[in-house]
Amino acid sequence: MNDQLVLFQVSNGVARITLNRPDKLNSFTLGMHAQLREAVTAVRADATVRVLLLSGNGRAFCAGQDLSERKQTPGVVLDLGKSTGELYNPLVRSIRALEMPVICAVNGVAAGAGASIALACDIVLAARSASFIQAFCKIGLLPDSGGTYWLPRLAGAARAKGLAMLGEKLSAEQAEQWGLIWKCVDDDRLAAEADRLAVELAQAPTRALAAIKRAIQAAEDNTLDAQLDLERDLQRSLGLTEDYREGVVAFMGKRKPNFLGK
Ligand code: LHQ
């Protein structure tokens, strides 16, 4: 039996989390949730980490909930709200709250909650052969883990409803064209391109990136007035950072800045 349901490694400011149940398309079990939670907690606690890179092992990114764990048993009331509320929602919230960029390298199919978790990340790269499937409607459910939040915001309500109600496979190329993801790249370039971005972002002014993440997420609900105030407040605190000072000094000195994420 495979006990390492999530692979976790930190080097040079980059934390790499890889979902690791390839034979079941990295679908979520209780055990995988627990290990993923532990890894994200370790990322948050490690001050050297400046970017998180999430991916999947094998031919899939993640096929959502492992349905063998969610079968109806006669006489037992199945509470899907419990697993959504206690497992998936905290995961989505933790990704959104991480004060660093989270890159998702979608190496293959992302279905159900797997698609939602990918879309919760800040920069989503996908292999050209990857796909996104709102599989929920095929088993009588609605998109969860933020699915009904990301889809209309990223793709518009018409496409969101089509995707969620039809559950058709959306190719990575179409996902890029519809603005669901950052980029789709050739399969054999995905790992290298994700690594290149991770290394670049790990050398970026982390606090500015965290502020960008926070502000853009807030913009999903804010009025312009509230957003202008938030930008002012965040800019005020960024103006006090070492990285801002370094950025300006480096620009004036016509040299490359050395950002420390402070
Ligand atoms: C799987 C799964 C899977 C178990 C592939 N479970 N074994 C939240 C809260 C509470 C409850 C419910 O759900 C949620 C959120 C959700 O995520 S709901 C949506 C759950 N996911 C799905 O409905 C997707 C189910 N999977 C599929 O539709 C297909 O596997 C896709 C389209 C992803 C890939 O198809 P194929 O490439 O043809 O692969 P396959 O179907 O042959 O799968 C390979 C193996 O992985 C196979 O096992 P086996 O032992 O027969 O080789 C599948 O049974 C297993 N697998 N997804 N979600």
Side-chain angles (χ1 to χ4, degrees):
M1 202 179 94
N2 175 17
D3 293 331
Q4 269 201 297
L5 306 174
V6 161
L7 307 176
F8 179 53
Q9 188 227 337
V10 176
S11 62
N12 301 323
V14 180
R16 291 178 173 80
I17 294 181
T18 308
L19 307 178
N20 189 36
R21 294 187 71 230
D23 52 330
K24 297 293 174 192
L25 307 190
N26 301 320
S27 54
F28 277 103
T29 55
L30 271 178
M32 197 169 93
H33 266 295
Q35 291 184 26
L36 183 54
R37 206 163 41 239
E38 221 171 276
V40 175
T41 303
V43 168
R44 211 181 304 117
D46 185 340
T48 69
V49 176
R50 293 166 69 181
V51 55
L52 169 59
L53 172 54
L54 175 65
S55 194
N57 196 4
R59 71 178 177 92
F61 169 65
C62 173
Q65 170 64 42
D66 184 320
L67 295 173
S68 68
E69 277 192 355
R70 291 290 180 281
K71 282 188 284 208
Q72 300 266 12
T73 316
V76 179
V77 178
L78 188 64
D79 181 1
L80 294 188
K82 189 169 155 63
S83 60
T84 304
E86 293 179 4
L87 300 171
Y88 290 93
N89 291 357
L91 172 61
V92 170
R93 290 190 174 110
S94 67
I95 292 171
R96 297 273 285 184
L98 263 188
E99 294 181 338
M100 66 184 73
V102 180
I103 301 171
C104 185
V106 182
N107 50 299
V109 63
S116 299
I117 299 302
L119 298 180
C121 297
D122 302 310
I123 296 196
V124 187
L125 273 180
R128 205 166 296 283
S129 70
S131 56
F132 296 81
I133 308 179
Q134 300 299 319
F136 306 88
C137 62
K138 301 285 188 194
I139 53 169
L141 299 178
L142 90 161
D144 62 18
S145 309
T148 62
Y149 186 89
W150 327 123
L151 292 173
R153 281 171 171 78
L154 295 169
R159 285 169 173 162
K161 286 180 185 163
L163 289 169
M165 290 183 178
L166 297 169
E168 287 175 6
K169 183 189 278 196
L170 184 75
S171 69
E173 281 181 0
Q174 191 76 75
E176 181 192 301
Q177 282 161 22
W178 284 6
L180 275 173
I181 64 170
W182 169 239
K183 252 180 208 171
C184 138
V185 298
D186 289 340
D187 289 24
D188 59 359
R189 284 191 48 232
L190 179 72
E193 182 61 11
D195 263 21
R196 189 189 66 74
L197 278 187
V199 168
E200 180 180 330
L201 291 174
Q203 292 166 5
T206 310
R207 292 187 54 187
L209 302 192
I212 291 167
K213 173 170 177 167
R214 189 172 149 198
I216 290 180
Q217 288 177 181
E220 277 151 5
D221 308 306
N222 265 349
T223 59
L224 174 61
D225 273 343
Q227 195 67 14
L228 288 172
D229 288 349
L230 177 64
E231 288 173 358
R232 176 202 58 208
D233 295 345
L234 291 172
Q235 207 70 300
R236 178 176 290 134
S237 60
L238 291 175
L240 304 174
T241 62
E242 286 180 30
D243 281 346
Y244 171 64
R245 192 163 48 88
E246 165 65 7
V248 175
V249 168
F251 177 79
M252 299 309 289
K254 298 190 184 301
R255 65 167 171 84
K256 196 171 168 283
N258 179 25
F259 293 123
L260 301 177
K262 293 181 183 164

